[in-house]
Amino acid sequence: MGILRAAVAPLVSARTYTRWVYLVLGGALFMPFFIGVLVLISLLSPWTPEEGFGVPGLAGTLVAAALGGLTGFLPGVHALQAQIARSLLGGPLADEPPLAGADWRTRARGCCWLALLFAVGLAVCVLTMVVLTDAASLALVALLGQAPDMGQRVILVDWAPQGSRRWLSPLVGAMMLAALISTMALLGAGAARLARPFLGASAADRLAAVRARADDLGERNRLAAELHDSIGHALSVVALQAGAASRVIDRDPAFARGALEAIAEQARTATAELDHVLGLLRERPGERAPQRTLADVPHLVEAARAAGTEADYEARGPVGELPAVLARELYRICQEGVTNALRHGSGGPVRVRVDASETAVRAEVSNPCTGRSARRGEARGGRGLAGARERVRLLGGELRAGAEDGVWRLAAEIPWKGGR
């Protein structure tokens, strides 16, 4: 029973017929090259197609297949044939993602595949035409009593059952058709297995794709960190200001008015930050807002004060001489520390310190915290802290965050060469 099921499976599988179509398409695309070369041979030699295929016909087939295969070097041909093979053949090639580009070695392999496909496709087309024609003739024997007159046939059916046994002729035709389908299933399976070495990505292509994917993921993570740090900080300040204004709006209108002004300022800041990130996404440098650096840390401190939290900032050393990338990333570190202090701190003073020397720069944000607020900071600030660690790690530095003696500290230390 298992043998019968295995024999019938190719006949009822949709993949058999899609692979058959792929091989027939190869033969159909090969015909212009094939006919053109045969005509050229007939013009340059005494050989004519009426004399039979012979050596000239075989040589013409090989030359035509080689010429057709060279079209694989044309722009877009390799990607197109890989896509068609992936859709119609399936197999290991379908498990590979499409290539963004192909070098000359990959295209050369595609040319070899195209030449092989043309030659095999021609044989498949001829075999399909012959077997389908003779199978149909055998089916008609039962009705006509003899094979229909179809001129010169490649395979004669005169040996078909005659007389009272002519009703067996359709069965013979069906067996021929089943054998043809099984043959196409084997050829298609072989083509599906061979397609990956010829049309799939090489080791260099896969390495380039992995690098491009890593770069893309790195850029996505960087943009996510930008949004988290900038927009998250602004929303935290807005929430605190709005809550404070709602509590004192009746008894202290002046404070409420100041809080609303601070909300408006934070909204403008958030809009500028959002424009910057959107400019990065659009890859239009002219639409990017100027990036914030350590020179903007006093604005962070002022925003914290406007939210009703005592805060101060101190910078020591050649802070203004820091490289732009270092000043930008340290600003984000300070921003993350101030945001966490506003969200999870116990309301005590927020201290921001930046100390630059000739060999390293250290940025620290500290605020008093209770055991509960420290646990909340660790639990809810994980994503921002992970982004801060990634920023510092890429710059070759070290970041420490945690509570000690009732004080939460976020400290980053990054080496640099002063003045160089």
Side-chain angles (χ1 to χ4, degrees), residues 186-273:
L186 290 175
L187 288 175
R193 187 172 294 274
L194 289 175
R196 185 175 184 179
F198 284 95
L199 299 178
S202 64
D205 293 330
R206 284 192 289 270
L207 180 59
V210 169
R211 287 175 176 171
R213 178 61 176 167
D215 292 341
D216 180 65
L217 290 177
E219 183 66 13
R220 288 169 180 252
N221 290 335
R222 188 175 72 84
L223 293 178
E226 291 279 345
L227 283 174
H228 175 274
D229 293 345
S230 58
I231 307 301
H233 171 77
L235 292 178
S236 297
V237 174
V238 166
L240 290 172
Q241 295 281 17
S246 66
R247 288 191 297 269
V248 302
I249 190 169
D250 292 328
R251 65 176 183 272
D252 193 349
F255 180 85
R257 186 179 300 107
L260 293 176
E261 292 175 354
I263 289 175
E265 176 62 26
Q266 286 300 315
R268 287 190 291 269
T269 300
T271 301
E273 296 278 3

Side-chain angles (χ1 to χ4, degrees), residues 297 300-301 311-315 334 338 350-354 364-366:
V297 173
L300 289 176
V301 176
D312 64 83
Y313 170 60
E314 180 182 356
C334 295
V338 173
V350 178
R351 311 289 185 189
V352 182
R353 300 287 183 269
V354 178
E364 179 181 294
V365 181
S366 62

Side-chain angles (χ1 to χ4, degrees), residues 367-369 402-409:
N367 62 281
C369 66
E404 183 179 356
D405 298 330
V407 178
W408 174 274
R409 285 185 175 85

Side-chain angles (χ1 to χ4, degrees), residues 3-93:
I3 298 177
L4 180 61
R5 187 181 298 110
V8 174
L11 306 181
V12 298
S13 172
R15 183 59 72 182
T16 297
Y17 299 97
T18 59
R19 290 171 175 172
W20 192 353
V21 168
Y22 178 79
L23 296 174
V24 171
L25 282 176
L29 294 174
F30 179 53
M31 291 308 296
F33 300 95
F34 180 62
I35 294 174
V37 171
L38 291 186
V39 170
L40 185 61
I41 291 177
S42 65
L43 292 176
L44 299 178
S45 69
W47 175 84
T48 60
E50 289 77 9
E51 298 176 6
F53 201 68
V55 175
L58 178 60
T61 302
L62 297 178
V63 171
L67 291 176
L70 290 177
T71 60
F73 281 113
L74 295 176
V77 172
H78 181 84
L80 180 60
Q81 70 165 329
Q83 181 180 356
I84 295 174
R86 191 175 287 109
S87 300
L88 296 180
L89 288 181
L93 182 63

Side-chain angles (χ1 to χ4, degrees), residues 314-362:
E314 180 182 356
R316 291 182 296 182
V319 175
E321 299 177 7
L322 295 175
V325 62
L326 194 57
R328 182 178 66 247
E329 298 304 327
L330 285 173
Y331 171 84
R332 293 302 185 191
I333 301 299
C334 295
Q335 187 180 53
E336 174 65 21
V338 173
T339 301
N340 283 340
L342 295 177
R343 285 181 177 176
H344 315 301
S346 58
V350 178
R351 311 289 185 189
V352 182
R353 300 287 183 269
V354 178
D355 187 2
S357 66
E358 292 297 324
T359 58
V361 58
R362 176 184 173 86

